[in-house]
Amino acid sequence: MIEFNNLKFMYSGGKKFALDGIDLTINDGEFIGVIGPSGAGKSTLTYAINGTVPHHYKGDFYGAVKVNGLDTVDNKPEKIAGEVGCVFQDIDAQMTATIVEDEILFGLENFGCPAEEIEERIDEALKALRIEKLRTRSIGTLSGGQKQKTAIAAMIALRPKILVLDEPTGELDPQSSREIFELLKELNKKYGMTIIVVEQKIMLQCEFADKLLVIDGGKAVHYDTVEKVLEHSEDLEKMGINCPRIVTLARMLHENGLYDGVYPAELDSAEKMVRSII
Amino acid sequence: MIEFKNVCFRYETEDTIKNLNFHIEKGDFVAILGSNGAGKTTMSKLFNGILKPTSGDVVINGLNTKTTRTSMLAKHIGFLFQNPDRQICKNTIRDELMFSMECIGADNADAQKRVDTIIEKFGFDPSHDPFSLSRGERQKIALASIIVTEPDVLVLDEPTTGLDYAECMQILNIVSELNSRGTTVVMVTHDMELVLDFAKKVLVMTDGRMIAFDEMRKVMKNMEVLSEARLLPPQIADLALRFEGFDDVYTHEEMFQKIKEKVRV
Amino acid sequence: MKGFLDYKDGNSIFHKMNPLSKLFLAVVLCAMCFVSSNIYFVAGVIVINLLIAFAAGIHKMALSILSGLLKLSIVLFIVQVLFVRSGNALFTIPGLNLPITDDGVYFSLLFVLRLLATALPLAVMLSVTQMSDLANVMVSKLKIPYKYAFAVITVIRFIPVFASEMAGIIESQTARGVEFDTKNIFRKIGLIIPLCVPLLISSVKKIDSSAIAAELRGFNRRTSKSGYKKYPFGGNDIFAVLICAVVITAGIMI
């Protein structure tokens, strides 16, 4: 569970709050899609969860963040890291090893995983991401999608309760992006892992997330189930967030009195919506 | 305008680009689609001679890229990369734009005038340091520094990566306006919704081969082509495929009209 | 330069050897070239290097290093030969009154051969050794603090990343008309210098996110006992010792 208690944060040298009064709770086992325009504070929010804000990125910090009961100010990031696994935007920068297996091993060694358990954990992580075949491959030869899966596997091996990802599919093609979201959903369902993913690809967010968290100007403007948040599609578009076209369609149907059901998050519901009208 | 004749390109042993043949007319807006590793980026670099074909010819405005230096082609063809940080190297926006003019050897008075016009058009503060701005702003600066030289062809390699929707629209609206005034545009992208909104023609790549080059709408619902290239149709087009008699529906407006018709009947 | 120092996968005896043995072997090969002043011996070391490279399946890389150094060697040889005055004159360059002596030829040849012989061993060994293995073994066997080992790995890991970043920057600039495709090398160098700004900026960003990522994966919790992989010495390592013994004996005897 992650509790944000009126969190405010301004980077040192900054002129305004990057996070401006975040006050919400993320429950265990939820799949949260974080969306918002550039510079809204989405990445800063992920830093606040893993403790790099305020430990690495200094600044004015007010309020509190508790990750599974651990206060992020009192506990160092490496302590929080036992609860939260993070995958960052720059995939090349976060790799530490030259082959896949060693990449997964790195965290396990650091956290003092018992030797007899290590093989099992590596196997499990590779299997969860379906990359068993890449085990001894050199990381330099992997595609973007494969690198991203390796980074996630390295986190999974540590068995964190929460997984935070900042634009994990930013440089991937539609098919590979989809694969990543499918794998995240699987981790969420199978292991009950809490997933928090910042991503611009709104169609994937709507399809896979349970809840959407909309950040704008450092504030959480909406935080609710996908369908509920999509009711504010006009509001989202004003912020510069593009809604899936099926949502725009649903809004037009609503406005013209042709439809009064829930907003569709993916194609199947959109199909149902259209069938209910014609 | 742009001509690819039997173009092959190989990095090491295997052909990354396999025998491309096509012709792009002046004023076209062509989207190049394909999954990662299909050869899109390699192909885009063949347009302005950053890569020279291993065999075959690429001819731009009558200039063969094999025999013309890439830096000389810059006058004719502007190239916007995914990452603006690789391009921006000056400390103010004005210097950055002036540098572009210097690169093509433009004469000073004319260069000043063009830079001023572009700065006004984009609403930049000319003395701003590009590195202190957001990624979206920097991408706009990169675009500005390319179009200030008024190239006949604009090649964009996934120009919207890392941008939010509003920034993405700003970039594409500028590009679209240039296109309507005669600039030929070639855009490599993954985003099918953008293609639907802006492209006139679509070229689909898979495994280094061209599997389709046609009017945009003819390709957007061609599941045979799209699935071979590991692509999905734009969302509403995809939805329309699930219904009988929705053949001409691609956008939400069209879908809405169609539903209204059906309800009336 | 592409692929230089990259690990080349394989199953040869040299791949399986303990990283320390490989390092030891490389150091012995280099050192012996300076212990002995015999041209035939030094040439022999080059041959041994090439044989190792062939056995490990990385002869292409080894030969490309040699051919890359050849031009430099020729220049160095000529300069050396002209400067050494001792020994018997073989002939005199007409007009310049510069004698070419037998000592001059001998020492210049030795110098160039040493250059070639010492350039190879480390490159060959690094190509058949995973960086992480080398670091792990240095931490566990040589008791080097992990932080230093990790720093070395990171630098080596970043070389190709930065190289491709630089290539990307050059492409971007060429595309806008900067004459990187000029044949004039001085002009090219002049053009590259301003580009260090974008490279520096992206490097700083990368290194910063790299540090955070490592920290979040418990880097600071690591102790000298954290290494999971063990690196026992085995039969393959006897082979390394054997080569060393032969080379050392030969070097001293000849």
Side-chain angles (χ1 to χ4, degrees):
Chain A
M1 189 163 83
I2 305 174
E3 296 154 274
F4 294 93
N5 198 336
N6 200 18
L7 168 68
K8 286 186 175 197
F9 181 75
M10 192 191 308
Y11 287 97
S12 54
K15 289 189 188 82
K16 57 176 192 191
F17 282 101
L19 294 176
D20 194 3
I22 303 281
D23 203 35
L24 54 93
T25 303
I26 295 172
N27 292 312
D28 290 341
E30 284 185 321
F31 190 133
I32 310 283
V34 183
I35 55 176
S38 292
K42 304 186 297 292
S43 293
T44 312
L45 186 81
T46 66
Y47 300 151
I49 295 174
N50 61 37
T52 31
V53 158
H55 291 280
H56 188 95
Y57 295 115
K58 309 279 185 209
D60 299 334
F61 187 100
Y62 304 99
V65 183
K66 276 190 185 151
V67 178
N68 289 341
L70 296 174
D71 189 294
T72 57
V73 175
D74 302 336
N75 293 281
K76 285 202 164 167
E78 62 229 52
K79 171 88 178 167
I80 311 278
E83 309 292 324
V84 187
C86 288
V87 177
F88 297 99
Q89 270 178 26
D90 190 336
I91 195 74
D92 285 320
Q94 66 186 293
M95 294 289 173
T96 57
T98 48
I99 57 171
V100 171
E101 179 182 50
D102 288 356
E103 188 60 36
I104 300 172
L105 190 58
F106 178 76
L108 289 173
E109 287 180 340
N110 292 346
F111 282 98
C113 176
E116 57 277 11
E117 223 183 273
I118 280 187
E119 282 301 319
E120 185 196 323
R121 294 259 204 129
I122 295 180
D123 288 340
E124 177 191 88
L126 290 169
K127 212 172 143 216
L129 275 294
R130 300 200 200 92
I131 49 170
E132 295 98 322
K133 286 201 180 113
L134 303 180
R135 183 166 183 153
T136 54
R137 278 274 293 277
S138 159
I139 289 172
T141 66
L142 302 180
S143 71
Q146 290 170 329
K147 276 187 199 168
Q148 202 56 261
K149 286 179 196 170
T150 304
I152 298 174
M155 284 302 153
I156 300 299
L158 303 173
R159 294 187 183 153
K161 295 169 199 82
I162 302 162
L163 195 60
V164 179
L165 306 100
D166 193 357
E167 302 209 16
T169 71
E171 298 193 356
L172 306 187
D173 63 26
Q175 197 97 15
S176 321
S177 306
R178 201 176 177 77
E179 273 172 36
I180 296 285
F181 269 83
E182 279 166 359
L183 287 165
L184 292 176
K185 191 76 188 172
E186 205 176 296
L187 293 171
N188 174 247
K189 287 269 168 281
K190 216 160 144 187
Y191 304 102
M193 202 176 272
T194 308
I195 307 279
I196 300 164
V197 53
V198 175
E199 184 57 69
Q200 302 275 7
K201 291 178 181 153
I202 187 99
M203 272 156 53
L204 290 172
Q205 292 277 39
C206 289
E207 186 174 342
F208 289 94
D210 302 325
K211 277 180 168 179
L212 288 180
L213 170 55
V214 184
I215 308 274
D216 191 24
K219 291 186 163 65
V221 273
H222 296 287
Y223 178 48
D224 211 330
T225 59
V226 174
E227 284 80 5
K228 287 272 186 223
V229 171
L230 289 177
E231 285 175 11
H232 305 279
S233 61
E234 228 165 340
D235 196 20
L236 299 185
E237 275 161 23
K238 265 181 218 143
M239 275 175 230
I241 300 169
N242 68 326
C243 287
R245 304 290 164 99
I246 50 173
V247 174
T248 319
L249 174 67
R251 193 173 74 216
M252 289 171 90
L253 295 168
H254 261 281
E255 283 163 359
N256 285 272
L258 289 165
Y259 178 68
D260 60 1
V262 292
Y263 279 80
E266 26 64 52
L267 272 186
D268 287 344
S269 341
E271 187 185 342
K272 260 183 228 150
M273 171 181 81
V274 178
R275 291 212 188 281
S276 76
I277 305 167
I278 60 172
Chain B
M1 173 104 247
I2 302 173
E3 183 96 51
F4 272 58
K5 279 183 278 190
N6 307 318
V7 173
C8 293
F9 181 81
R10 64 175 53 187
Y11 272 111
E12 270 160 16
T13 49
E14 209 191 336
D15 279 355
T16 329
I17 294 293
K18 294 162 191 160
N19 200 28
L20 286 183
N21 277 294
F22 61 87
H23 180 84
I24 295 175
E25 307 279 343
K26 184 171 165 49
D28 259 346
F29 193 133
V30 180
I32 300 180
L33 296 176
S35 58
N36 284 349
K40 297 185 308 285
T41 293
T42 306
M43 180 183 164
S44 69
K45 288 178 184 170
L46 286 163
F47 274 94
N48 67 343
I50 293 179
L51 298 176
K52 315 268 182 195
T54 315
S55 64
D57 295 286
V58 178
V59 182
I60 309 278
N61 271 358
L63 296 168
N64 192 317
T65 61
K66 265 186 186 167
T67 48
T68 317
R69 277 162 56 184
T70 303
S71 53
M72 293 296 136
L73 281 166
K75 269 180 225 173
H76 305 273
I77 181 161
F79 201 116
L80 183 66
F81 289 83
Q82 217 180 86
N83 186 351
D85 296 351
R86 287 177 170 180
Q87 194 188 326
I88 299 170
C89 57
K90 299 287 175 189
N91 291 329
T92 69
I93 296 178
R94 195 183 166 76
D95 285 356
E96 186 65 34
L97 298 186
M98 277 308 288
F99 183 56
S100 282
M101 297 306 291
E102 279 166 35
C103 287
I104 62 157
D107 108 275
N108 206 24
D110 180 42
Q112 298 275 2
K113 216 169 73 194
R114 280 209 239 167
V115 167
D116 289 336
T117 318
I118 288 283
I119 284 177
E120 198 175 331
K121 185 182 159 90
F122 278 73
F124 289 141
D125 171 355
S127 62
H128 228 122
D129 176 4
F131 295 109
S132 67
L133 298 169
S134 73
R135 166 99 183 221
E137 286 296 312
R138 293 203 301 277
Q139 188 65 296
K140 262 163 65 185
I141 296 167
L143 177 65
S145 72
I146 283 156
I147 64 179
V148 72
T149 64
E150 296 173 10
D152 303 322
V153 182
L154 198 54
V155 180
L156 314 146
D157 184 11
E158 297 185 35
T160 59
T161 308
L163 306 191
D164 69 19
Y165 187 66
E167 293 167 334
C168 175
M169 282 300 129
Q170 284 175 347
I171 298 273
L172 275 155
N173 283 329
I174 295 165
V175 171
S176 176
E177 192 206 317
L178 286 171
N179 176 247
S180 68
R181 287 196 274 122
T183 308
T184 311
V185 177
V186 177
M187 176 170 76
V188 173
T189 185
H190 288 314
D191 191 328
M192 299 300 269
E193 308 294 337
L194 281 187
V195 175
L196 185 64
D197 289 347
F198 293 99
K200 293 175 186 160
K201 280 185 173 173
V202 170
L203 193 161
V204 185
M205 299 283 296
T206 188
D207 192 26
R209 290 174 298 121
M210 180 175 95
I211 55 167
F213 181 41
D214 211 334
E215 296 300 322
M216 187 268 288
R217 291 201 165 207
K218 283 188 186 152
V219 181
M220 292 320 245
K221 274 195 198 167
N222 186 338
M223 287 314 288
E224 210 175 309
V225 167
L226 294 180
S227 58
E228 192 182 345
R230 306 207 325 145
L231 296 167
L232 286 173
Q235 204 177 26
I236 296 288
D238 206 1
L239 181 62
L241 283 170
R242 299 183 177 204
F243 295 92
E244 294 274 328
F246 279 57
D247 298 338
D248 48 351
V249 172
Y250 293 84
T251 66
H252 55 271
E253 286 98 353
E254 290 163 1
M255 183 60 114
F256 177 68
Q257 290 308 328
K258 195 67 161 187
I259 293 172
K260 271 213 309 207
E261 267 170 44
K262 295 265 174 187
V263 170
R264 244 180 268 137
V265 173
Chain C
M1 275 309 265
K2 196 170 174 289
F4 181 66
L5 287 186
D6 275 0
Y7 175 74
K8 307 283 185 309
D9 208 7
N11 238 336
S12 74
I13 183 166
F14 295 99
H15 282 88
K16 289 181 196 150
M17 246 175 222
N18 188 298
L20 267 191
S21 310
K22 291 186 239 188
L23 199 64
F24 182 64
L25 179 58
V27 170
V28 166
L29 287 176
C30 288
M32 286 316 290
C33 292
F34 290 96
V35 171
S36 169
S37 301
N38 185 305
I39 288 186
Y40 300 107
F41 174 77
V42 179
V45 171
I46 297 180
V47 173
I48 291 177
N49 273 317
L50 288 177
L51 287 177
I52 292 176
F54 264 100
I58 51 164
H59 44 279
K60 259 191 191 163
M61 187 222 51
L63 289 174
S64 84
I65 292 181
L66 276 190
S67 68
L69 283 174
L70 208 63
K71 273 187 214 159
L72 178 68
S73 304
I74 292 170
V75 174
L76 285 173
F77 179 80
I78 293 170
V79 172
Q80 281 273 330
V81 142
L82 294 178
F83 275 96
V84 179
R85 293 289 170 85
S86 64
N88 307 316
L90 292 175
F91 62 91
T92 308
I93 296 176
L96 287 170
N97 199 21
L98 259 176
I100 299 298
T101 68
D102 53 355
D103 277 6
V105 171
Y106 185 86
F107 285 117
S108 307
L109 198 58
L110 182 64
F111 178 78
V112 166
L113 284 175
R114 273 180 177 161
L115 172 79
L116 296 176
T118 49
L120 280 176
L122 269 178
V124 168
M125 290 309 158
L126 285 176
S127 307
V128 295
T129 311
Q130 291 280 6
M131 265 304 133
S132 47
D133 287 336
L134 189 60
N136 286 339
V137 80
M138 295 224 266
V139 172
S140 65
K141 295 267 186 329
L142 299 183
K143 307 292 172 208
I144 290 172
Y146 184 75
K147 275 187 184 165
Y148 299 132
F150 186 76
V152 172
I153 296 185
T154 305
V155 168
I156 290 176
R157 205 169 47 79
F158 269 144
I159 291 172
V161 173
F162 288 156
S164 83
E165 187 69 30
M166 194 65 201
I169 291 172
I170 288 182
E171 271 177 7
S172 283
Q173 301 296 337
T174 312
R176 73 195 288 203
V178 181
E179 283 180 87
F180 277 113
D181 37 11
T182 173
K183 296 241 156 55
N184 182 338
I185 185 88
F186 294 104
R187 182 152 168 66
K188 199 166 173 173
I189 291 170
L191 290 170
I192 283 180
I193 292 166
L195 298 190
C196 294
V197 176
L199 183 65
L200 204 69
I201 285 178
S202 75
S203 310
V204 168
K205 268 190 205 159
K206 270 203 197 314
I207 289 166
D208 191 44
S209 26
S210 175
I212 295 178
E215 191 184 338
L216 286 178
R217 286 165 66 192
F219 179 74
N220 294 330
R221 289 165 82 142
R222 199 173 176 105
T223 64
S224 60
K225 293 192 194 71
S226 294
Y228 166 67
K229 289 187 173 174
K230 298 286 174 275
Y231 298 90
F233 290 97
N236 298 325
D237 301 298
I238 297 174
F239 186 59
V241 174
L242 229 97
I243 301 177
C244 288
V246 170
V247 171
I248 293 174
T249 324
I252 295 170
M253 301 282 282
I254 301 174

